[in-house]
């Protein structure tokens, strides 16, 4: 069941109604049952995998807490990490590793073929695996106590708003909420519904509309002009943002309606003035996870190497981030490219700050705009190798054509017009939140007419120009 | 070593690391309050503290450094 499906429109209000009818102490158990129903509804068999990961995580956390010896605790953590990652590796990387090993052996004249498996990637596996791992590492680091109630751990890994595509939550944020009083909070519920409404707008009006234009161009890039390819390249980040950003808002909104807080996933990423700032604003829950559980331990271990330790840690972290996105060379190249950009920034940061101070650049709008545009362009071009087109060679062909082919822009008037409305409104809303956070808050206006006019306008736009056959969320494939 | 002495030495490290000669440390200060104090510069700061105080942190100590005050407390326990 997808957030954009008709079934969800019936499922969610029914769940909320039953949730608040039930006595408070039964609510978390009810959400657990509903979460498994939601997951089984997509693919029943893979629910066993979710149960398996949850059970091993639960048992290892308790074992780690009970164990006194540091050495044994470390081995328990390693065993837990291997067990938790095993299904992810099997489903996501088996074919890739199998093919790579075959190609390597073949190069030396050895042919030892193993069958490739045509298994569907269990939906949400990359997300709940990371959540489970985060919990285990927190217990190992003694930043959280091991949860004795299996149901609470099971709800954490399966909580239906976030199980499919995040945000990648932390046990310490969720356990207390699940155990606490899940009472109705009017303000939080209203804010949740507002987030859901805007999330649907981002997905249906922006992401899926932009997708029509972008896929038309990229799927036939050989036949399109350099200007059209450049336009599609620059539009693609809006599609991804509308997709995952919209999904995240719907997920956070759903949880809010149930009185549960979820960490944010985006913070107006296109206003970032550097790649390091960009990664503090984009897919924040994943980046924070990678920072806490990968980058920090690696860079801590290499701290004697000073800035070079940071560079190595960055490259490794983003290489793994690339691999997390998919088992393909394009994602590894994309991850390495991002790691290189961040390393360059880390190496030149001190000089950059001194230069900015000397010429008082941080207070000059033109410099800020230039930095934001450059960051956006770097990200947009990096996406060319991370899924926008089907291969690295296609990405380079697109880039080559952008600089050499000057034929006119491909125009589909309806798509462009509807896209302009969606993207334009998103930009206005983000500009307001970035520069005038307390002004022009239409959804939060004290005037009931303005508030409802805003709700109705957004709903009207979704119904009028939303794309309702746009397919599933992009991040489901991760 | 007294807490004030630790704070003074730490202030010098912070000022050098973040290129800010007027930085004054407060116990409740976090990375959000100091320009350029991010996950990249944090590790340089940690390495510099270890060198200056001749101490060695554990990864667990890093997780407990929620603010400057907690950082000073941890440094004192290592001296």
């Amino acid at each position: 069941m997808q957030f954009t499906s008709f079934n969800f429109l019936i499922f969610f209000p029914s769940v909320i109604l039953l949730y608040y009818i039930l006595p408070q102490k039964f609510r978390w158990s009810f959400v657990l049952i509903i979460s498994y129903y939601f997951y089984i509804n997509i693919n029943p068999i893979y629910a066993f995998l979710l149960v398996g990961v949850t059970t091993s995580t639960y048992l290892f956390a308790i074992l780690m807490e009970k164990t006194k010896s540091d050495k044994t605790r470390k081995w328990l953590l390693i065993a837990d990490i291997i067990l938790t990652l095993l299904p992810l590796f099997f489903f996501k990387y088996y074919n890739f590793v199998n093919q790579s090993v075959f190609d390597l052996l073949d190069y030396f004249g050895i042919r030892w073929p193993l069958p490739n498996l045509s298994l569907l990637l269990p939906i949400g596996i990359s997300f709940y695996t990371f959540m489970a791992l985060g919990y285990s590492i927190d217990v190992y680091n003694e930043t959280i106590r091991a949860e004795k109630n299996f149901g609470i751990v099971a709800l954490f890994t399966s909580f239906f708003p976030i199980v499919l595509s995040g945000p990648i939550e932390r046990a310490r944020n969720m356990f207390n909420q699940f155990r606490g009083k899940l009472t109705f909070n009017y303000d939080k519920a209203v804010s949740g519904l507002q987030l859901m409404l805007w999330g649907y707008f981002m997905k249906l009006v922006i992401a899926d509309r932009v997708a029509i234009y972008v896929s038309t161009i990229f799927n036939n890039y050989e036949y399109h002009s350099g200007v059209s390819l450049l336009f599609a390249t620059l539009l693609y980040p809006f599609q991804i943002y509308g997709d995952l950003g919209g999904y995240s808002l719907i997920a956070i909104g759903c949880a809010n309606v149930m009185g549960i807080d979820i960490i944010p996933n985006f913070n107006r990423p296109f206003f970032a003035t550097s790649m390091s700032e960009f990664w503090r604003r984009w897919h924040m829950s994943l980046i924070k996870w990678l920072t806490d559980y990968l980058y920090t331990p690696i860079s801590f271990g290499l701290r004697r190497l000073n800035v070079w330790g940071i560079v190595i840690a960055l490259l490794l972290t983003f290489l793994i981030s690339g691999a997390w996105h998919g088992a393909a060379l394009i994602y590894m190249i994309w991850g390495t490219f991002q790691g290189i950009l961040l390393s360059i920034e880390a190496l030149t940061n001190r000089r950059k700050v001194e230069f900015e101070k000397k010429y008082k650049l941080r207070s000059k709008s033109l410099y800020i705009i230039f930095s934001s545009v450059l960051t956006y362009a770097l990200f947009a071009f990096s996406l060319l190798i991370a899924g926008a087109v089907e291969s690295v060679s296609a990405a380079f062909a697109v880039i080559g054509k952008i600089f050499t082919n000057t034929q006119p822009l491909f125009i589909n008037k309806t798509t462009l017009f509807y896209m302009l409305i969606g993207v334009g409104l998103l930009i206005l809303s983000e500009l307001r939140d970035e520069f005038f956070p307390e002004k022009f808050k239409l959804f939060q206006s004290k005037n009931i007419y303005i508030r409802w006019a805003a709700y109705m306008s957004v709903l009207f736009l979704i119904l009028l120009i939303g794309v309702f056959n746009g397919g599933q969320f992009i991040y489901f494939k991760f | 070593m007294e807490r004030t002495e630790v704070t003074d030495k730490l202030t010098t490290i912070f000022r050098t690391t973040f290129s800010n000669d007027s930085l004054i440390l407060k116990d409740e200060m976090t990375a959000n309050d100091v320009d350029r104090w991010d996950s990249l510069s944090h590790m340089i700061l940690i390495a510099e503290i270890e060198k200056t105080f001749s101490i060695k942190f554990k990864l667990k100590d890093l997780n407990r450094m929620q603010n400057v005050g907690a950082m000073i407390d941890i440094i004192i326990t290592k001296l």
Side-chain angles (χ1 to χ4, degrees), chain A residues 337-439:
Chain A
F337 177 66
Q338 289 298 337
I340 291 171
L341 287 180
L342 286 171
S343 300
I344 293 169
E345 281 188 6
L347 289 169
T348 56
N349 196 23
R350 189 180 285 266
R351 260 171 285 174
K352 188 185 168 200
V353 170
E354 279 163 13
F355 183 76
E356 285 174 347
K357 264 188 184 170
K358 193 175 171 186
Y359 296 101
K360 295 188 176 73
L361 292 171
R362 299 302 302 177
S363 57
K364 290 184 174 142
S365 329
L366 256 180
Y367 177 74
I368 302 287
I369 293 168
F370 170 76
S371 304
S372 301
V373 170
L374 183 67
T375 306
Y376 180 87
L378 279 172
F379 179 65
F381 274 88
S382 82
L383 285 181
L384 273 179
I385 39 172
V389 286
E390 81 271 18
S391 65
V392 180
S393 55
F396 282 111
V398 168
I399 294 170
K401 232 176 159 186
I402 286 174
F403 288 104
T404 52
N405 185 307
T406 52
Q407 284 171 327
L409 180 71
F410 167 76
I411 291 175
N412 175 332
K413 276 183 191 162
T414 319
T415 302
L416 281 179
F417 178 67
Y418 288 158
M419 209 162 63
L420 196 71
I421 296 176
V423 173
L425 279 174
L426 177 71
I427 291 173
L428 283 177
S429 154
E430 303 262 295
L431 275 169
R432 173 205 58 199
D433 290 343
E434 185 73 15
F435 300 109
F436 314 99
E438 297 308 318
K439 287 184 177 173

Side-chain angles (χ1 to χ4, degrees), chain A residues 72-274:
Chain A
T72 316
R73 278 163 51 78
K74 192 177 256 179
W75 280 110
L76 282 170
L77 178 69
I78 292 169
D80 181 23
I81 290 173
I82 292 172
L83 260 180
T84 310
L85 284 175
L86 215 58
L88 182 67
F89 270 94
F90 181 73
F91 283 96
K92 204 164 180 173
Y93 305 107
Y94 171 80
N95 283 347
F96 177 71
V97 173
N98 186 24
Q99 192 60 47
S100 305
V101 170
F102 177 79
D103 290 345
L104 187 73
L105 291 177
D106 192 43
Y107 182 77
F108 294 105
I110 306 164
R111 292 185 72 82
W112 185 46
L114 284 176
N116 266 353
L117 301 173
S118 54
L119 290 166
L120 203 66
L121 183 71
I123 200 160
I125 189 168
S126 308
F127 293 89
Y128 69 69
T129 298
F130 269 32
M131 282 171 49
L133 281 178
Y135 167 54
S136 299
I137 298 168
D138 283 351
V139 171
Y140 174 79
N141 284 335
E142 294 169 17
T143 50
I144 185 174
R145 298 294 307 271
E147 175 58 53
K148 306 289 182 295
N149 188 335
F150 178 75
I152 295 285
V153 180
L155 178 55
F156 170 62
T157 51
S158 69
F159 186 45
F160 80 86
I162 60 174
V163 69
L164 303 183
S165 284
I168 300 168
E169 258 295 358
R170 302 300 177 87
R172 57 176 168 267
N173 291 345
M174 302 305 283
F175 284 2
N176 281 342
Q177 295 193 74
F178 292 151
R179 279 192 299 250
K181 287 190 171 166
L182 296 168
T183 45
F184 181 73
N185 178 327
Y186 177 80
D187 290 337
K188 200 181 274 185
V190 169
S191 147
L193 290 170
Q194 290 170 345
L195 289 178
M196 287 177 79
L197 184 63
W198 192 244
Y200 278 112
F201 179 83
M202 282 178 73
K203 166 67 178 164
L204 300 170
V205 177
I206 300 168
D208 289 349
R209 180 66 61 186
V210 173
I212 295 173
Y213 185 85
V214 168
S215 57
T216 304
I217 303 288
F218 283 147
N219 290 346
N220 306 287
Y221 67 91
E222 302 95 328
Y223 308 107
H224 284 283
S225 69
V227 184
S228 302
L229 289 167
L230 176 65
F231 189 49
T233 303
L234 294 176
L235 268 177
Y236 189 58
F238 275 97
Q239 183 189 334
I240 306 281
Y241 182 37
D243 199 282
L244 184 61
Y247 175 89
S248 303
L249 288 184
I250 300 169
I252 296 166
C254 281
N256 284 174
V257 176
M258 289 186 276
I260 293 167
D261 288 316
I262 299 283
I263 49 172
N265 227 6
F266 290 87
N267 181 25
R268 302 180 292 285
F270 301 146
F271 289 105
T273 54
S274 65

Side-chain angles (χ1 to χ4, degrees), chain A residues 70 73 140-143 276 280 291-292 295-297 299-300 303-304 306-307 310 314 342 345-346 349-350 353-354 357, chain B residues 16-21 35-36 38-44 46-48 50-51 55-60 62-64:
Chain A
D70 274 355
R73 278 163 51 78
Y140 174 79
N141 284 335
E142 294 169 17
T143 50
S276 46
R280 286 194 295 274
T291 305
D292 289 352
Y295 167 78
T296 302
S299 61
F300 183 71
R303 66 195 182 286
R304 300 273 172 254
N306 268 321
V307 80
I310 290 170
L314 278 173
L342 286 171
E345 281 188 6
N349 196 23
R350 189 180 285 266
V353 170
E354 279 163 13
K357 264 188 184 170
Chain B
T16 318
T17 309
F18 301 118
S19 314
N20 183 346
D21 295 337
D35 207 22
R36 286 182 57 227
D38 54 23
S39 52
L40 303 185
S41 52
H42 186 61
M43 220 43 82
I44 291 173
I46 292 296
E48 209 52 50
E50 285 186 326
K51 208 163 76 185
I55 54 171
K56 210 170 172 196
F57 291 121
K58 285 184 173 173
L59 190 56
K60 272 183 204 168
L62 258 69
N63 297 323
R64 285 166 41 219

